[in-house]
Amino acid sequence: MLADLHMHSTASDGALDPAELMRRASAAGVELIALTDHDCVDGLAAASETARDLAMRWVSGVEMSAQWHGHTLHILGYGFDPHHQVMVRALADVRDGRWRRAEQISKRLEGKRMPGAYDGAVAAQQAAGGDVGQPPGRPHFADWMVSAGYVADRGEAFRKWLGAGKLGDIKQHWPTLPEVVQQIRSAGGMAVVAHPWHYGLTRSKLRALLREFAAAGGRGIEVANGKQPVDQVAYLGKLCVEFGFLASSGSDFHTPDSPWTGLGVMTAMPPDCQPVWEDRLFTG
């Protein structure tokens, strides 16, 4: 079974609206799917309706931001009730923080003689089909910078202004790792660490993270994230078995233009991992 449990739509920072995303995933052969927008569930209704019409198996999803010893982590939530009071309140708090961050990014860019950044980013998000209730992210600021002629492309925008450690890299105060895990569990879902290699952790720190994640009630890790190198996937597979975690996989798809991610395109998981979709949350 081809399962893609990590992707983004225009409800957060993806290029395709939720329904179109489902149609393209179905055309790519995906059989089990989850839409996992950043700290947002606004696209789930349209996505789930389309996925079911296309006879794909569906599970609710989200990618939530968490803080762990100075590191910003992403935690995937699966199979939760998106209308649960705890989840609704948690995502509303994060959304408010993202709006404040957008304002801060705008002020910093305007201080570098790039006026109109805030309105430009909002317009870029809406032009891409984004939800007007959701704040613009750094990709939308990048798109505005391209259209305004300040940079040649998104890559230059991130290299010079928006990437890690740059002027537009505003750190937000996310909830702690145990808080995020508990929020997902309170809404009836399963928490999974997204792309564990992306955080720049040493192997000893990665193990420390997984120990604390398990203690908080986390259930799994994303073993395969897009076209991840085979050796990285193999190592995460070993950690999965060592810690008794379930294994997830996803393309982390954002845009059709990316050479790195394609819907349904993931490195194969090691055969000794137990996939998350064998859990009753998926089969129930």
Side-chain angles (χ1 to χ4, degrees):
M1 181 179 64
L2 182 57
D4 192 340
L5 302 174
H6 189 169
M7 62 185 66
H8 302 277
S9 76
T10 50
S12 64
D13 60 346
L16 304 177
D17 69 60
E20 177 62 16
L21 188 60
M22 297 301 105
R23 287 191 286 268
R24 293 201 185 199
S26 177
V30 175
E31 300 165 88
L32 170 64
I33 197 163
L35 173 63
T36 56
D37 280 317
H38 291 287
D39 302 298
C40 171
V41 295
D42 292 2
L44 294 191
S48 63
E49 180 179 359
T50 305
R52 289 174 175 135
D53 286 346
L54 294 168
M56 286 190 289
R57 288 174 55 189
W58 163 267
V59 64
S60 60
V62 68
E63 186 173 7
M64 300 178 70
S65 304
Q67 199 72 19
W68 179 77
H69 298 291
H71 296 275
T72 297
L73 309 178
H74 291 168
I75 305 301
L76 295 163
Y78 296 130
F80 57 90
D81 174 7
H83 304 294
H84 193 281
Q85 182 180 5
V86 170
M87 183 64 71
V88 170
R89 184 170 59 248
L91 295 180
D93 288 344
V94 172
R95 182 177 61 246
D96 292 344
R98 285 186 179 274
W99 278 113
R100 291 192 295 271
R101 185 176 71 161
E103 292 171 355
Q104 289 177 286
I105 293 173
S106 174
K107 288 179 181 178
R108 289 191 176 187
L109 292 176
E110 289 177 356
K112 294 296 183 179
R113 299 183 181 180
M114 288 181 267
Y118 184 85
D119 290 340
V122 170
Q125 184 214 32
Q126 293 178 12
D131 188 325
V132 295
Q134 291 297 326
R138 286 182 295 170
H140 304 117
F141 279 97
D143 289 344
W144 167 77
M145 293 172 76
V146 174
S147 66
Y150 294 116
V151 295
D153 52 37
R154 264 194 187 189
E156 183 181 354
F158 274 86
R159 285 194 305 274
K160 290 185 175 180
W161 302 103
L162 301 171
K166 302 300 181 181
L167 175 142
D169 182 23
I170 305 290
K171 302 303 182 187
Q172 187 167 337
H173 297 290
W174 307 111
T176 66
L177 177 64
E179 287 173 339
V180 169
V181 173
Q182 188 55 44
Q183 288 161 358
I184 294 170
R185 295 184 67 197
S186 294
M190 171 196 300
V192 171
V193 177
H195 41 59
W197 281 113
H198 284 203
Y199 311 119
L201 302 175
T202 64
R203 293 193 175 195
S204 60
K205 283 190 176 180
L206 178 55
R207 277 192 158 84
L209 162 63
L210 296 182
R211 282 194 294 270
E212 293 188 32
F213 183 64
R219 294 286 311 283
I221 58 178
E222 188 176 41
V223 171
N225 177 263
K227 299 177 183 178
Q228 203 167 354
V230 173
D231 61 328
Q232 292 185 5
V233 173
Y235 182 70
L236 291 176
K238 290 179 181 178
L239 291 179
C240 218
V241 174
E242 177 184 336
F243 284 89
F245 283 140
L246 298 172
S248 186
S249 66
S251 63
D252 203 357
F253 179 90
H254 284 76
T255 172
D257 300 330
S258 171
W260 308 109
T261 59
L263 287 164
V265 178
M266 292 85 63
T267 303
M269 290 198 303
D272 53 347
C273 292
Q274 182 182 0
V276 293
W277 51 87
E278 292 183 358
D279 185 82
R280 61 178 179 79
L281 197 68
F282 288 73
T283 61

